[in-house]
Amino acid sequence: MKQKALYYFVFALSLIGCSPTVSDIYITADKEAYKNGELVFVSINEAMGAVAQLRKESNKNTLTLHLMEGEYRISAPIRITAELGPLNLKGEGDGRSVVKGSKLLNPKWEKYNDHIWMAQLQKEDSFDQLFVNGQKQILARYPNYDENGGHWQGHAEDAIAPERVKTWSNPKGAFVHAMHNGEWGGFHYVSTGVDENGELQLSGGYQNNRPSKMHAKYRMVENVFEELDAPGEWFLDGDNKLFYWPAEGTDFESVLVEGVQQKHLLEIVGSEENPVRDIEISGIRFEHAQRTFMEKYEQLLRSDWTIYRGAALFIEGTQNVKIKNCELTNLGGNAILASNFNRELSIADNHIHDCGASGISFVGSPEAVRSPSFQYEEFVPLAEMDTVAGPKSNKYPSNSIAENNLIYRIGRVEKQTAGVQIAMAMDITVSHNSIYDVPRAGINIGDGTWGGHIIEYNDVFNTVLESGDHGAFNSWGRDRFWHPNRETLNEIVAANPEMPKWDAIHTTVIRNNRFRCDHGWDIDLDDGSSNYHIYNNLCLNGGIKLREGFYRTVENNIMINNGFHPHVWFRNSGDVFKHNIVFTEHKDIRLQDWGKEVDYNLFPDVETLTTTQKKGVDTNSIFGDALFVDAKLGNYTVKEESPAFKIGFKNIAMDSFGVTNTKLKSLAKTPTIPTMFFGDSSEKDAVIGWLGAQIKSIATMAERSASGLNKTAGALILAIEPQTVIGNSPLQVGDVIISAEGDEINTVADLMKTYQNNNWKGKLNLTIFRNQKEKQISLTTKK
């Protein structure tokens, strides 16, 4: 068979010299295939060699490499350089053309004990992830994998306790994953041994730009032989012996075993001076790339991020490159990363899921940033600062788009990740993507350099599932103007009012999106985020937060069950909040000033409006039922007679969120539509689900009497599902919640208001009534 493959290769090369106008090259996994008179190769690398030869022979046509149906295992990344374009690498779509970074293994199994089998592998067969019959297996870990187990699908406070460590015969090489102490992303370590106190000696922890100690609870350890104690788990020792506990019914005679060996699958790499031009990658399923959490990481300015500058598809130094209609799955790290100089890059209609880190990343170089700072406490003194506005060079992505991508179940290993990440970039459009089931933000912008981004028509939900103090959309803006000392920052900007726009030179627009975050804010503009226009967004749960920053206009948004969270504003911020439909009073924290204008908003009732007006804002705002067409089905179009029109509100299209690609739309989930708690349209007596419990307001004398209450008030717990947030808490069926964070709870709406205001903290202090007595409980709001 090798001789026949070599024959095809030599024969195809012989055709090149007499085919100066050739445009199509075929790659087949079927070595028996042959197309008379056409160039046919049996590997992608051979076909790339043919492309290089054609270019040397002055063939300037757009060459199309047809990747025929089949699996193509690569032993090195496919590499496309400037001299190979223009070029199309085209698969057959629907998962029929597959590029894999794994090796097909042929282990000779023998019984190790009652449950575990063992096979001696060759040195060249080492790998970091194991797939059996196409399913990812679990590297031996504690605690055991539980899809509904929260952080890392299972975590434990005693994961690396000395009492546990002493049961391990060889702790060296164990991986430790732990959340930041503030739940701001995570850290990853490898054990180098044990100290005299029986505690692991660890190397790593550089994967987060906000140093802290490990979270006391959210920890997981893996790659320990003694923790191989459940079906589906495996361990590879230093001698390349593979130990595996197979699922019941596994047939070792026919089983397909694959070990992942490649960090990158495709690299399109040029430079600003000599970019790779006019490349299209389409119709290919990319699968099996290594985990990269222990690779070298770079700081991304003063955001909370560091990042491995690499991905399954790595793109750098390009112009007019398209990645479309591809599937990227079962990847250990980032899926797609556009690094440094890239222009007119289009990433569209892709299905990205089950990846260890981020989905799509646009990340420029600090070399393009004037007077960069790299950690929270750093600041370049004004006397030494470059005061020219804008980038210093072109070493950043710009004029590029991520649209119509379905992205979910990313960040399976790394938690400081996003469905779409933007840092040190300009004019990036993120449009019509559906992003959900992510541990942190769905879309993240790490800094203000250099703005001009358009975030539109995205559907982003089930976010911040394994972290805290964050949003479905999140941004930071710790740019040149920003100083960690609040008073110093205020003085700097008062003296230099245009300074916030030195880096955020263009306005970033967030419009026509649907966001839902149940563990933070729907839109979270954090430290310093400046020069934003936010309008026509539907926020289903967490409201909108603007922390210290400048020149933000927020208008014509709907914030179901929540409202506006202005935090730590400075004098003369220039901020505007108007023409919005809100359901709670403004939740201001440490404001020095209310900005340029906060007015003409619609509140649900007179009490909420009056409470807000006492803050000195919203003089012309009104209250009333918004009169949504069908809130239960998620249609928040307001009717013609709605009072919202009196404050200048304009209806928002409710049918344009998320992917529009027909195939991807059929696969995509949509967010759960919330029960409304406030206003005349609220369902005050409804039984609602909350953190795994069914609750309702105490509304009748019978309910009051049964609970022994002295008034008809409180939130009654009717039922609790096991293995949920409340199922794992001290709360019991029949408890009545009468206070939360010091707020009196008379109805479920009261509870939800307090919960919305505090759930980003990850806990809620409750007073309950049980057995005729009050009892204090601290409820952790995440698993």
Side-chain angles (χ1 to χ4, degrees), residues 129-320:
Q129 293 165 88
L130 180 69
F131 286 79
V132 174
N133 290 334
Q135 299 299 311
K136 184 178 178 181
Q137 305 301 292
I138 307 301
L139 180 57
R141 54 170 281 172
Y142 175 79
N144 287 339
Y145 184 96
D146 173 5
E147 182 59 37
N148 298 311
H151 300 67
W152 288 291
Q153 289 66 59
H155 51 83
E157 188 172 350
D158 68 341
I160 55 172
E163 296 77 18
R164 189 160 206 96
V165 171
K166 71 181 181 182
T167 67
W168 304 340
S169 59
N170 183 16
K172 188 175 181 180
F175 295 125
V176 177
H177 308 278
M179 293 301 293
H180 186 282
N181 192 49
E183 295 186 64
W184 300 337
F187 303 99
H188 311 272
Y189 306 86
V190 62
S191 169
T192 58
V194 181
D195 65 17
E196 64 275 10
N197 298 317
E199 295 186 350
L200 290 181
Q201 295 176 311
L202 299 173
S203 174
Y206 47 74
Q207 305 89 345
N208 192 297
N209 207 24
R210 294 290 294 274
S212 85
K213 62 182 180 181
M214 290 186 195
H215 196 283
K217 176 181 177 182
Y218 298 130
R219 303 176 176 186
M220 185 269 281
V221 66
E222 60 179 356
N223 202 33
V224 177
F225 176 74
E226 284 77 13
E227 302 298 349
L228 203 171
D229 59 359
E233 290 194 339
W234 63 275
F235 177 80
L236 187 67
D237 73 8
D239 296 322
N240 253 26
K241 288 181 181 175
L242 172 60
F243 298 86
Y244 175 53
W245 185 327
E248 186 176 350
T250 299
D251 181 5
F252 280 129
E253 294 296 321
S254 60
V255 72
L256 180 73
V257 183
E258 302 166 285
V260 178
Q261 297 186 325
Q262 300 301 313
K263 286 199 290 279
H264 295 183
L265 305 183
L266 171 68
E267 298 175 345
I268 307 174
V269 179
S271 65
E272 180 184 353
E273 298 73 24
N274 187 25
V276 184
R277 299 178 188 270
D278 304 325
I279 305 296
E280 183 174 304
I281 311 296
S282 65
I284 300 172
R285 176 180 170 122
F286 292 94
E287 192 172 9
H288 296 174
Q290 288 185 327
R291 306 194 301 179
T292 53
F293 59 83
M294 292 307 298
E295 296 293 323
K296 178 183 176 182
Y297 274 61
E298 299 179 27
Q299 295 172 308
L300 297 186
L301 300 185
R302 285 190 284 185
S303 84
D304 288 359
W305 281 55
T306 63
I307 195 169
Y308 166 64
R309 195 177 286 270
L313 274 60
F314 180 74
I315 307 164
E316 181 173 278
T318 73
Q319 192 164 356
N320 190 30

Side-chain angles (χ1 to χ4, degrees), residues 95 97-102 129 131 134-136 258 260 262-263 265 284-290 312-313 326-336 350-359 406-410 412:
S97 302
V98 185
V99 172
K100 288 188 172 184
S102 58
Q129 293 165 88
F131 286 79
Q135 299 299 311
K136 184 178 178 181
E258 302 166 285
V260 178
Q262 300 301 313
K263 286 199 290 279
L265 305 183
I284 300 172
R285 176 180 170 122
F286 292 94
E287 192 172 9
H288 296 174
Q290 288 185 327
L313 274 60
C326 291
E327 182 178 6
L328 295 95
T329 185
N330 291 325
L331 305 173
N334 298 316
I336 302 174
N350 300 290
H351 184 191
I352 301 171
H353 60 105
D354 293 279
C355 301
S358 291
L406 174 56
I407 304 171
Y408 58 93
R409 286 173 61 91
I410 54 94
R412 303 297 285 176

Side-chain angles (χ1 to χ4, degrees), residues 366-671:
E367 294 175 19
V369 181
R370 298 181 187 276
S371 299
S373 297
F374 292 94
Q375 275 202 317
Y376 186 90
E377 297 293 338
E378 292 181 11
F379 182 78
V380 176
L382 275 172
E384 302 171 15
M385 187 179 291
D386 182 340
T387 61
V388 176
K392 189 176 182 179
S393 73
N394 293 322
K395 207 171 180 181
Y396 57 89
S398 184
N399 298 322
S400 296
I401 187 167
E403 65 176 342
N404 252 313
N405 300 286
L406 174 56
I407 304 171
Y408 58 93
R409 286 173 61 91
I410 54 94
R412 303 297 285 176
V413 180
E414 302 176 42
K415 304 309 173 187
Q416 194 68 279
T417 49
V420 177
Q421 160 71 351
I422 300 171
M424 295 174 285
M426 185 195 297
D427 298 337
I428 305 298
T429 296
V430 182
S431 180
H432 280 295
N433 301 283
S434 291
I435 304 171
Y436 53 87
D437 295 348
V438 298
R440 204 138 169 76
I443 300 171
N444 185 77
I445 297 179
D447 47 66
T449 54
W450 288 272
H453 313 306
I454 298 175
I455 314 298
E456 63 180 3
Y457 297 108
N458 299 286
D459 202 9
V460 185
F461 57 97
N462 286 7
T463 59
V464 196
L465 296 179
E466 300 177 57
S467 60
D469 194 7
H470 214 53
F473 171 89
N474 181 81
S475 66
W476 290 288
R478 301 173 191 143
D479 305 325
R480 275 178 284 178
F481 80 90
W482 191 87
H483 194 285
N485 182 287
R486 306 293 191 273
E487 290 304 318
T488 303
L489 194 161
N490 202 40
E491 293 172 6
I492 290 171
V493 180
N496 304 275
E498 289 301 307
M499 195 175 175
K501 293 185 179 180
W502 288 0
D503 291 304
I505 59 175
H506 301 300
T507 301
T508 289
V509 174
I510 304 175
R511 64 188 180 198
N512 302 107
N513 303 279
R514 180 167 61 185
F515 293 113
R516 176 163 183 166
C517 181
D518 285 34
H519 304 286
W521 295 275
D522 294 335
I523 299 176
D524 181 2
L525 268 58
D526 215 342
D527 300 357
S529 299
S530 297
N531 200 3
Y532 277 78
H533 189 190
I534 301 171
Y535 64 95
N536 291 5
N537 298 285
L538 173 59
C539 299
L540 289 179
N541 189 74
I544 296 177
K545 168 190 158 189
L546 303 185
R547 194 177 163 91
E548 56 201 7
F550 297 86
Y551 313 121
R552 286 86 56 96
T553 296
V554 180
E555 58 184 339
N556 214 77
N557 303 281
I558 301 172
M559 284 154 265
I560 302 298
N561 289 336
N562 213 311
F564 185 38
H565 299 254
H567 292 184
V568 202
W569 282 15
F570 295 100
R571 299 182 189 94
N572 303 315
S573 67
D575 288 336
V576 173
F577 184 84
K578 63 182 181 180
H579 308 316
N580 301 286
I581 298 175
V582 298
F583 282 77
T584 62
E585 66 272 14
H586 303 332
K587 304 296 183 180
D588 50 298
I589 297 177
R590 294 170 54 197
L591 262 64
Q592 296 183 7
D593 186 76
W594 276 94
K596 183 178 179 180
E597 182 181 13
V598 178
D599 206 352
Y600 296 99
N601 300 295
L602 177 65
F603 292 80
D605 50 57
V606 64
E607 179 184 3
T608 306
L609 173 60
T610 302
T611 300
T612 299
Q613 288 177 330
K614 288 178 180 178
K615 301 173 186 285
V617 292
D618 284 283
T619 301
N620 297 293
S621 295
I622 62 175
F623 71 90
D625 191 330
L627 298 177
F628 296 125
V629 168
D630 196 340
K632 289 184 178 180
L633 293 180
N635 184 352
Y636 298 99
T637 302
V638 302
K639 298 175 183 177
E640 290 183 5
E641 60 272 26
S642 171
F645 294 120
K646 296 179 181 179
I647 52 96
F649 180 81
K650 297 177 182 178
N651 268 319
I652 301 169
M654 293 289 156
D655 58 356
S656 300
F657 307 120
V659 290
T660 59
N661 175 294
T662 302
K663 178 184 173 184
L664 296 179
K665 193 169 184 177
S666 70
L667 298 173
K669 295 180 181 178
T670 55

